[in-house]
Amino acid sequence: MLEISKSIKKLDDIDIGDNIFHYDYNVNHLLSLIASGIDKEDTLYLSSYRSFEGEVFENFIYEKLLRYAQENDNIDKFILKGFHQRRQKAHANTLSISEKQQIVYRTKSREISEFDAMFITKDKELYFVEMTLVKSVLKLRKRLRKKKALLETIFPDYEIKALIILNEGATGTRQFPDYCTVWFTKEFTAKDVLEYIQNPDSRELSKISRVCSTKMIEAHSLKLYQFRYYNTMSWITKTLRSHKKFALDMNFLYKDTVQRYHDLYNKFYIGYIDIAEAKELLDLQGEYQEDQRVIVAIEKKYSDEIVLTYYVQRNRKNLYLYSFSDAGKVIKEKKDPYGITVTEVFHINKMMDDSYKLNLPNLKKIKQLLKTRFEVDSKK
């Protein structure tokens, strides 16, 4: 069991020197808001400042964890990032360091997951670390689930666990799964770092304090199991639709290994419907080409319920997600044009032939089956 040190709990900065001042921070927007004279209670300012403060908190805790790992006899390996590691180009299908100096796993073109920190114990436990200043962490479960599933896939020989580091007062932590260890620190502030950024002449920084230990390793040095993101996604789609009698193979869907992949991908694509039926179902407005497809997915919510969702891709970068609220209202969301989902939908749409076509009765039946299964599982 990992125990928080008094030094981390109190956010003592004596052992890390001026290291957090040496990091690069994404503050252009925040500084422009300050220059404009914006009220510090304005939601635009608060949002930008909290994002910056979260960056500083992550770097502060990372510096503390480096030293914690150096002193903890049970920690065997600790992954370096930032200015502590040699600059490495991010490689596909492996753990490596991104251009932003973060620990990432990526395909050839897109990042799949980013990790705030990572270490391995002598008991063959691999911990990934989440550090956040948000006060309610209920929705963090979905992100944890995805990262755990990815690490279980590429590191099958380790027991995957999570270390969550929060400020005192955070709520929702009782909802975390058993694999999570939660640490609470005192309230964090990044005012001194912002003041330095605004006026670099205000203090003379000491040199970067390095940690020298054989425990410290580069991300790319970890040997992992090869995982092909798009190949696996295509295999799952094909197998889900390969049942001779039913539109969806429910037995395959609920296999343990497939549900782990569902945690990783968050959604499986199962087919498409014609634009005419989509207009009726989703109340789509505007003009569409007659051959426009609407891709159907089954998405795993943070509550573990699996629901139907729909994707409309007008061109390569223009993608909209349609889903339903608990009250049955259609929700429309524009997806990040550079996000992984845009590439997934483009890939899966090219793969699907006419045999993947679904209709409204199919969808009604699938929705009912998913709902019934969730209700049964919730009673266990």
Side-chain angles (χ1 to χ4, degrees):
M1 181 69 178
L2 291 174
E3 298 290 344
I4 188 172
S5 67
K6 290 182 179 179
S7 177
I8 292 176
K9 188 179 184 68
K10 294 179 180 179
L11 298 178
D12 189 344
D13 63 358
I14 292 176
D15 57 342
I16 67 173
D18 287 333
N19 278 18
I20 60 169
F21 296 94
H22 285 282
Y23 283 89
D24 294 326
Y25 294 100
N26 183 18
V27 290
N28 289 339
H29 179 59
L30 177 59
L31 293 179
S32 68
L33 290 175
I34 294 172
S36 71
I38 193 172
D39 190 320
K40 290 187 177 181
E41 296 302 316
D42 189 289
T43 54
L44 283 175
Y45 175 83
L46 291 174
S47 175
S48 185
Y49 179 76
R50 285 169 182 161
S51 177
F52 160 72
E53 195 165 49
E55 277 189 77
V56 183
F57 181 65
E58 179 184 327
N59 292 334
F60 186 99
I61 295 298
Y62 182 81
E63 291 290 332
K64 297 296 291 183
L65 286 176
L66 270 170
R67 290 149 182 85
Y68 178 88
Q70 183 184 31
E71 298 171 1
N72 189 308
D73 291 337
N74 195 42
I75 294 178
D76 189 45
K77 296 181 176 69
F78 189 91
I79 308 300
L80 296 171
K81 71 172 188 177
F83 47 67
H84 290 284
Q85 50 85 51
R86 295 190 301 273
R87 292 184 178 270
Q88 293 281 345
K89 181 181 179 181
H91 299 288
N93 304 313
T94 189
L95 276 183
S96 56
I97 302 299
S98 69
E99 292 180 357
K100 296 179 180 179
Q101 300 299 293
Q102 298 296 317
I103 303 167
V104 298
Y105 184 90
R106 59 178 295 138
T107 65
K108 289 183 178 179
S109 59
R110 295 287 184 270
E111 286 185 9
I112 305 303
S113 277
E114 179 180 300
F115 302 93
D116 295 344
M118 188 180 293
F119 58 88
I120 297 171
T121 70
K122 291 180 179 177
D123 299 321
K124 293 189 74 68
E125 300 166 324
L126 189 154
Y127 278 86
F128 67 97
V129 186
E130 286 285 321
M131 319 158 190
T132 180
L133 295 176
V134 298
K135 291 302 182 183
S136 178
V137 294
L138 284 174
K139 293 185 178 180
L140 183 61
R141 288 181 62 191
K142 190 173 179 180
R143 189 159 78 236
L144 294 175
R145 191 173 64 193
K146 176 184 177 72
K147 293 183 179 184
K148 180 173 185 284
L150 172 62
L151 293 174
E152 285 178 332
T153 300
I154 62 176
F155 294 114
D157 295 332
Y158 291 105
E159 181 179 1
I160 307 302
K161 294 189 174 183
L163 173 61
I164 319 297
I165 305 178
L166 311 166
N167 277 189
E168 292 174 345
T171 61
T173 57
R174 291 184 179 180
Q175 302 297 320
F176 283 139
D178 292 341
Y179 64 83
C180 296
T181 297
V182 183
W183 288 356
F184 292 98
T185 73
K186 76 172 190 179
E187 197 77 16
F188 181 79
T189 178
K191 289 181 179 178
D192 55 345
V193 179
L194 181 58
E195 289 171 358
Y196 172 74
I197 291 172
Q198 290 177 288
N199 183 17
D201 294 330
S202 63
R203 63 188 294 165
E204 184 177 347
L205 298 185
S206 58
K207 292 182 179 180
I208 292 174
S209 174
R210 307 278 182 184
V211 174
C212 297
S213 170
T214 55
K215 296 180 180 182
M216 307 305 163
I217 63 171
E218 307 278 334
H220 62 88
S221 68
L222 283 178
K223 294 182 179 179
L224 48 76
Y225 178 81
Q226 286 298 311
F227 166 56
R228 301 300 179 185
Y229 189 88
Y230 293 106
N231 291 354
T232 304
M233 184 180 73
S234 300
W235 165 72
I236 290 170
T237 294
K238 290 175 182 177
T239 310
L240 282 170
R241 293 299 311 278
S242 64
H243 200 285
K244 294 181 179 179
K245 292 184 178 181
F246 305 112
L248 193 70
D249 191 333
M250 296 289 287
N251 289 331
F252 174 74
L253 173 62
Y254 284 98
K255 285 184 176 181
D256 289 344
T257 53
V258 177
Q259 278 304 294
R260 187 183 69 200
Y261 282 128
H262 211 171
D263 289 340
L264 195 167
Y265 289 99
N266 188 45
K267 55 194 171 296
F268 292 150
Y269 303 98
I270 61 171
Y272 70 91
I273 55 175
D274 286 338
I275 191 63
E277 291 192 298
K279 284 183 175 181
E280 178 185 343
L281 178 67
L282 305 173
D283 192 28
L284 297 182
Q285 303 298 319
E287 297 294 325
Y288 293 85
Q289 294 182 1
E290 289 185 7
D291 62 351
Q292 173 72 56
R293 289 177 169 185
V294 175
I295 302 299
V296 182
I298 47 176
E299 185 161 343
K300 200 168 192 179
K301 299 168 69 175
Y302 71 89
S303 63
D304 286 342
E305 182 180 7
I306 300 173
V307 298
L308 289 168
T309 56
Y310 307 86
Y311 291 88
V312 181
Q313 192 165 38
R314 302 294 292 269
N315 56 51
R316 185 68 171 84
K317 299 285 186 184
N318 191 337
L319 179 69
Y320 285 91
L321 162 64
Y322 290 82
S323 59
F324 289 89
S325 69
D326 292 338
K329 182 180 178 181
V330 176
I331 301 170
K332 178 182 178 182
E333 176 189 345
K334 183 171 176 44
K335 301 301 291 184
D336 179 359
Y338 301 101
I340 189 71
T341 303
V342 167
T343 308
E344 287 178 356
V345 172
F346 182 80
H347 170 87
I348 212 73
N349 189 34
K350 288 176 63 178
M351 186 205 83
M352 290 180 179
D353 58 24
D354 293 344
S355 68
Y356 287 89
K357 184 177 179 180
L358 295 165
N359 54 42
L360 295 184
N362 292 149
L363 299 182
K364 183 178 180 180
K365 181 63 176 179
I366 291 170
K367 181 180 178 181
Q368 184 58 50
L369 288 171
L370 294 172
K371 182 179 180 181
T372 301
R373 179 60 184 255
F374 177 69
E375 290 173 348
V376 170
D377 288 347
S378 297
K379 294 176 182 179
K380 291 181 180 179

mmCIF file with all atom_site columns, all heavy atoms in Angstrom, residues 83-96:
data_model
loop_
_atom_site.group_PDB
_atom_site.id
_atom_site.type_symbol
_atom_site.label_atom_id
_atom_site.label_alt_id
_atom_site.label_comp_id
_atom_site.label_asym_id
_atom_site.label_entity_id
_atom_site.label_seq_id
_atom_site.pdbx_PDB_ins_code
_atom_site.Cartn_x
_atom_site.Cartn_y
_atom_site.Cartn_z
_atom_site.occupancy
_atom_site.B_iso_or_equiv
_atom_site.pdbx_formal_charge
_atom_site.auth_seq_id
_atom_site.auth_comp_id
_atom_site.auth_asym_id
_atom_site.auth_atom_id
_atom_site.pdbx_PDB_model_num
ATOM 1   N N   . PHE A 1 83 ? 12.001 17.910 -18.560 1.00 0.00 ? 83 PHE A N   1
ATOM 2   C CA  . PHE A 1 83 ? 13.438 18.141 -18.727 1.00 0.00 ? 83 PHE A CA  1
ATOM 3   C C   . PHE A 1 83 ? 14.298 17.114 -17.991 1.00 0.00 ? 83 PHE A C   1
ATOM 4   O O   . PHE A 1 83 ? 15.526 17.205 -17.984 1.00 0.00 ? 83 PHE A O   1
ATOM 5   C CB  . PHE A 1 83 ? 13.831 19.561 -18.297 1.00 0.00 ? 83 PHE A CB  1
ATOM 6   C CG  . PHE A 1 83 ? 13.266 19.997 -16.965 1.00 0.00 ? 83 PHE A CG  1
ATOM 7   C CD1 . PHE A 1 83 ? 13.663 19.416 -15.778 1.00 0.00 ? 83 PHE A CD1 1
ATOM 8   C CD2 . PHE A 1 83 ? 12.323 21.025 -16.912 1.00 0.00 ? 83 PHE A CD2 1
ATOM 9   C CE1 . PHE A 1 83 ? 13.161 19.831 -14.561 1.00 0.00 ? 83 PHE A CE1 1
ATOM 10  C CE2 . PHE A 1 83 ? 11.818 21.451 -15.701 1.00 0.00 ? 83 PHE A CE2 1
ATOM 11  C CZ  . PHE A 1 83 ? 12.234 20.857 -14.522 1.00 0.00 ? 83 PHE A CZ  1
ATOM 12  N N   . HIS A 1 84 ? 13.667 16.111 -17.373 1.00 0.00 ? 84 HIS A N   1
ATOM 13  C CA  . HIS A 1 84 ? 14.420 15.066 -16.676 1.00 0.00 ? 84 HIS A CA  1
ATOM 14  C C   . HIS A 1 84 ? 14.853 13.938 -17.611 1.00 0.00 ? 84 HIS A C   1
ATOM 15  O O   . HIS A 1 84 ? 15.684 13.114 -17.240 1.00 0.00 ? 84 HIS A O   1
ATOM 16  C CB  . HIS A 1 84 ? 13.584 14.480 -15.536 1.00 0.00 ? 84 HIS A CB  1
ATOM 17  C CG  . HIS A 1 84 ? 13.385 15.433 -14.397 1.00 0.00 ? 84 HIS A CG  1
ATOM 18  N ND1 . HIS A 1 84 ? 14.371 15.722 -13.483 1.00 0.00 ? 84 HIS A ND1 1
ATOM 19  C CD2 . HIS A 1 84 ? 12.314 16.192 -14.052 1.00 0.00 ? 84 HIS A CD2 1
ATOM 20  C CE1 . HIS A 1 84 ? 13.909 16.611 -12.602 1.00 0.00 ? 84 HIS A CE1 1
ATOM 21  N NE2 . HIS A 1 84 ? 12.672 16.904 -12.934 1.00 0.00 ? 84 HIS A NE2 1
ATOM 22  N N   . GLN A 1 85 ? 14.271 13.851 -18.799 1.00 0.00 ? 85 GLN A N   1
ATOM 23  C CA  . GLN A 1 85 ? 14.621 12.773 -19.711 1.00 0.00 ? 85 GLN A CA  1
ATOM 24  C C   . GLN A 1 85 ? 15.231 13.326 -20.994 1.00 0.00 ? 85 GLN A C   1
ATOM 25  O O   . GLN A 1 85 ? 15.095 14.504 -21.302 1.00 0.00 ? 85 GLN A O   1
ATOM 26  C CB  . GLN A 1 85 ? 13.391 11.922 -20.038 1.00 0.00 ? 85 GLN A CB  1
ATOM 27  C CG  . GLN A 1 85 ? 12.159 12.691 -20.481 1.00 0.00 ? 85 GLN A CG  1
ATOM 28  C CD  . GLN A 1 85 ? 12.162 13.007 -21.956 1.00 0.00 ? 85 GLN A CD  1
ATOM 29  O OE1 . GLN A 1 85 ? 12.357 12.136 -22.776 1.00 0.00 ? 85 GLN A OE1 1
ATOM 30  N NE2 . GLN A 1 85 ? 11.932 14.255 -22.300 1.00 0.00 ? 85 GLN A NE2 1
ATOM 31  N N   . ARG A 1 86 ? 15.918 12.441 -21.710 1.00 0.00 ? 86 ARG A N   1
ATOM 32  C CA  . ARG A 1 86 ? 16.462 12.834 -22.999 1.00 0.00 ? 86 ARG A CA  1
ATOM 33  C C   . ARG A 1 86 ? 15.310 13.025 -23.966 1.00 0.00 ? 86 ARG A C   1
ATOM 34  O O   . ARG A 1 86 ? 14.345 12.257 -23.963 1.00 0.00 ? 86 ARG A O   1
ATOM 35  C CB  . ARG A 1 86 ? 17.412 11.747 -23.539 1.00 0.00 ? 86 ARG A CB  1
ATOM 36  C CG  . ARG A 1 86 ? 18.655 11.550 -22.693 1.00 0.00 ? 86 ARG A CG  1
ATOM 37  C CD  . ARG A 1 86 ? 19.637 10.649 -23.425 1.00 0.00 ? 86 ARG A CD  1
ATOM 38  N NE  . ARG A 1 86 ? 19.055 9.341  -23.726 1.00 0.00 ? 86 ARG A NE  1
ATOM 39  C CZ  . ARG A 1 86 ? 19.083 8.316  -22.885 1.00 0.00 ? 86 ARG A CZ  1
ATOM 40  N NH1 . ARG A 1 86 ? 19.649 8.443  -21.697 1.00 0.00 ? 86 ARG A NH1 1
ATOM 41  N NH2 . ARG A 1 86 ? 18.551 7.153  -23.235 1.00 0.00 ? 86 ARG A NH2 1
ATOM 42  N N   . ARG A 1 87 ? 15.385 14.023 -24.790 1.00 0.00 ? 87 ARG A N   1
ATOM 43  C CA  . ARG A 1 87 ? 14.284 14.293 -25.720 1.00 0.00 ? 87 ARG A CA  1
ATOM 44  C C   . ARG A 1 87 ? 14.187 13.175 -26.753 1.00 0.00 ? 87 ARG A C   1
ATOM 45  O O   . ARG A 1 87 ? 15.115 12.872 -27.468 1.00 0.00 ? 87 ARG A O   1
ATOM 46  C CB  . ARG A 1 87 ? 14.483 15.645 -26.410 1.00 0.00 ? 87 ARG A CB  1
ATOM 47  C CG  . ARG A 1 87 ? 14.329 16.814 -25.441 1.00 0.00 ? 87 ARG A CG  1
ATOM 48  C CD  . ARG A 1 87 ? 14.437 18.148 -26.155 1.00 0.00 ? 87 ARG A CD  1
ATOM 49  N NE  . ARG A 1 87 ? 14.241 19.245 -25.226 1.00 0.00 ? 87 ARG A NE  1
ATOM 50  C CZ  . ARG A 1 87 ? 13.065 19.791 -24.946 1.00 0.00 ? 87 ARG A CZ  1
ATOM 51  N NH1 . ARG A 1 87 ? 11.981 19.326 -25.544 1.00 0.00 ? 87 ARG A NH1 1
ATOM 52  N NH2 . ARG A 1 87 ? 12.961 20.787 -24.102 1.00 0.00 ? 87 ARG A NH2 1
ATOM 53  N N   . GLN A 1 88 ? 13.017 12.562 -26.800 1.00 0.00 ? 88 GLN A N   1
ATOM 54  C CA  . GLN A 1 88 ? 12.778 11.462 -27.730 1.00 0.00 ? 88 GLN A CA  1
ATOM 55  C C   . GLN A 1 88 ? 11.537 11.770 -28.555 1.00 0.00 ? 88 GLN A C   1
ATOM 56  O O   . GLN A 1 88 ? 10.551 12.272 -28.045 1.00 0.00 ? 88 GLN A O   1
ATOM 57  C CB  . GLN A 1 88 ? 12.545 10.143 -26.970 1.00 0.00 ? 88 GLN A CB  1
ATOM 58  C CG  . GLN A 1 88 ? 13.773 9.638  -26.219 1.00 0.00 ? 88 GLN A CG  1
ATOM 59  C CD  . GLN A 1 88 ? 14.757 8.961  -27.137 1.00 0.00 ? 88 GLN A CD  1
ATOM 60  O OE1 . GLN A 1 88 ? 14.437 8.612  -28.265 1.00 0.00 ? 88 GLN A OE1 1
ATOM 61  N NE2 . GLN A 1 88 ? 15.982 8.773  -26.659 1.00 0.00 ? 88 GLN A NE2 1
ATOM 62  N N   . LYS A 1 89 ? 11.581 11.436 -29.819 1.00 0.00 ? 89 LYS A N   1
ATOM 63  C CA  . LYS A 1 89 ? 10.409 11.586 -30.666 1.00 0.00 ? 89 LYS A CA  1
ATOM 64  C C   . LYS A 1 89 ? 9.354  10.564 -30.246 1.00 0.00 ? 89 LYS A C   1
ATOM 65  O O   . LYS A 1 89 ? 9.663  9.445  -29.893 1.00 0.00 ? 89 LYS A O   1
ATOM 66  C CB  . LYS A 1 89 ? 10.808 11.356 -32.128 1.00 0.00 ? 89 LYS A CB  1
ATOM 67  C CG  . LYS A 1 89 ? 9.659  11.511 -33.106 1.00 0.00 ? 89 LYS A CG  1
ATOM 68  C CD  . LYS A 1 89 ? 10.135 11.248 -34.533 1.00 0.00 ? 89 LYS A CD  1
ATOM 69  C CE  . LYS A 1 89 ? 8.987  11.371 -35.520 1.00 0.00 ? 89 LYS A CE  1
ATOM 70  N NZ  . LYS A 1 89 ? 9.425  11.093 -36.910 1.00 0.00 ? 89 LYS A NZ  1
ATOM 71  N N   . ALA A 1 90 ? 8.058  10.984 -30.273 1.00 0.00 ? 90 ALA A N   1
ATOM 72  C CA  . ALA A 1 90 ? 6.970  10.072 -29.926 1.00 0.00 ? 90 ALA A CA  1
ATOM 73  C C   . ALA A 1 90 ? 6.829  9.005  -31.014 1.00 0.00 ? 90 ALA A C   1
ATOM 74  O O   . ALA A 1 90 ? 6.683  9.322  -32.188 1.00 0.00 ? 90 ALA A O   1
ATOM 75  C CB  . ALA A 1 90 ? 5.660  10.848 -29.779 1.00 0.00 ? 90 ALA A CB  1
ATOM 76  N N   . HIS A 1 91 ? 6.916  7.743  -30.619 1.00 0.00 ? 91 HIS A N   1
ATOM 77  C CA  . HIS A 1 91 ? 6.835  6.636  -31.566 1.00 0.00 ? 91 HIS A CA  1
ATOM 78  C C   . HIS A 1 91 ? 5.458  5.993  -31.526 1.00 0.00 ? 91 HIS A C   1
ATOM 79  O O   . HIS A 1 91 ? 4.780  6.006  -30.497 1.00 0.00 ? 91 HIS A O   1
ATOM 80  C CB  . HIS A 1 91 ? 7.904  5.592  -31.243 1.00 0.00 ? 91 HIS A CB  1
ATOM 81  C CG  . HIS A 1 91 ? 9.305  6.123  -31.329 1.00 0.00 ? 91 HIS A CG  1
ATOM 82  N ND1 . HIS A 1 91 ? 9.919  6.416  -32.528 1.00 0.00 ? 91 HIS A ND1 1
ATOM 83  C CD2 . HIS A 1 91 ? 10.211 6.424  -30.363 1.00 0.00 ? 91 HIS A CD2 1
ATOM 84  C CE1 . HIS A 1 91 ? 11.138 6.872  -32.298 1.00 0.00 ? 91 HIS A CE1 1
ATOM 85  N NE2 . HIS A 1 91 ? 11.342 6.888  -30.993 1.00 0.00 ? 91 HIS A NE2 1
ATOM 86  N N   . ALA A 1 92 ? 5.052  5.409  -32.647 1.00 0.00 ? 92 ALA A N   1
ATOM 87  C CA  . ALA A 1 92 ? 3.746  4.757  -32.727 1.00 0.00 ? 92 ALA A CA  1
ATOM 88  C C   . ALA A 1 92 ? 3.768  3.415  -32.012 1.00 0.00 ? 92 ALA A C   1
ATOM 89  O O   . ALA A 1 92 ? 4.769  2.710  -31.990 1.00 0.00 ? 92 ALA A O   1
ATOM 90  C CB  . ALA A 1 92 ? 3.347  4.561  -34.188 1.00 0.00 ? 92 ALA A CB  1
ATOM 91  N N   . ASN A 1 93 ? 2.620  3.075  -31.402 1.00 0.00 ? 93 ASN A N   1
ATOM 92  C CA  . ASN A 1 93 ? 2.389  1.771  -30.781 1.00 0.00 ? 93 ASN A CA  1
ATOM 93  C C   . ASN A 1 93 ? 3.389  1.431  -29.679 1.00 0.00 ? 93 ASN A C   1
ATOM 94  O O   . ASN A 1 93 ? 3.782  0.277  -29.507 1.00 0.00 ? 93 ASN A O   1
ATOM 95  C CB  . ASN A 1 93 ? 2.393  0.667  -31.853 1.00 0.00 ? 93 ASN A CB  1
ATOM 96  C CG  . ASN A 1 93 ? 1.395  0.928  -32.956 1.00 0.00 ? 93 ASN A CG  1
ATOM 97  O OD1 . ASN A 1 93 ? 0.249  1.265  -32.688 1.00 0.00 ? 93 ASN A OD1 1
ATOM 98  N ND2 . ASN A 1 93 ? 1.832  0.808  -34.198 1.00 0.00 ? 93 ASN A ND2 1
ATOM 99  N N   . THR A 1 94 ? 3.755  2.452  -28.926 1.00 0.00 ? 94 THR A N   1
ATOM 100 C CA  . THR A 1 94 ? 4.621  2.236  -27.764 1.00 0.00 ? 94 THR A CA  1
ATOM 101 C C   . THR A 1 94 ? 4.497  3.422  -26.825 1.00 0.00 ? 94 THR A C   1
ATOM 102 O O   . THR A 1 94 ? 3.959  4.467  -27.194 1.00 0.00 ? 94 THR A O   1
ATOM 103 C CB  . THR A 1 94 ? 6.095  2.052  -28.194 1.00 0.00 ? 94 THR A CB  1
ATOM 104 O OG1 . THR A 1 94 ? 6.856  1.636  -27.059 1.00 0.00 ? 94 THR A OG1 1
ATOM 105 C CG2 . THR A 1 94 ? 6.672  3.340  -28.741 1.00 0.00 ? 94 THR A CG2 1
ATOM 106 N N   . LEU A 1 95 ? 4.980  3.259  -25.603 1.00 0.00 ? 95 LEU A N   1
ATOM 107 C CA  . LEU A 1 95 ? 5.056  4.395  -24.693 1.00 0.00 ? 95 LEU A CA  1
ATOM 108 C C   . LEU A 1 95 ? 6.251  5.251  -25.086 1.00 0.00 ? 95 LEU A C   1
ATOM 109 O O   . LEU A 1 95 ? 7.337  4.730  -25.338 1.00 0.00 ? 95 LEU A O   1
ATOM 110 C CB  . LEU A 1 95 ? 5.242  3.929  -23.244 1.00 0.00 ? 95 LEU A CB  1
ATOM 111 C CG  . LEU A 1 95 ? 4.022  3.543  -22.422 1.00 0.00 ? 95 LEU A CG  1
ATOM 112 C CD1 . LEU A 1 95 ? 4.452  3.190  -21.008 1.00 0.00 ? 95 LEU A CD1 1
ATOM 113 C CD2 . LEU A 1 95 ? 2.968  4.626  -22.384 1.00 0.00 ? 95 LEU A CD2 1
ATOM 114 N N   . SER A 1 96 ? 6.053  6.550  -25.143 1.00 0.00 ? 96 SER A N   1
ATOM 115 C CA  . SER A 1 96 ? 7.161  7.446  -25.462 1.00 0.00 ? 96 SER A CA  1
ATOM 116 C C   . SER A 1 96 ? 6.824  8.842  -24.946 1.00 0.00 ? 96 SER A C   1
ATOM 117 O O   . SER A 1 96 ? 5.831  9.032  -24.243 1.00 0.00 ? 96 SER A O   1
ATOM 118 C CB  . SER A 1 96 ? 7.426  7.473  -26.977 1.00 0.00 ? 96 SER A CB  1
ATOM 119 O OG  . SER A 1 96 ? 6.255  7.833  -27.693 1.00 0.00 ? 96 SER A OG  1
#
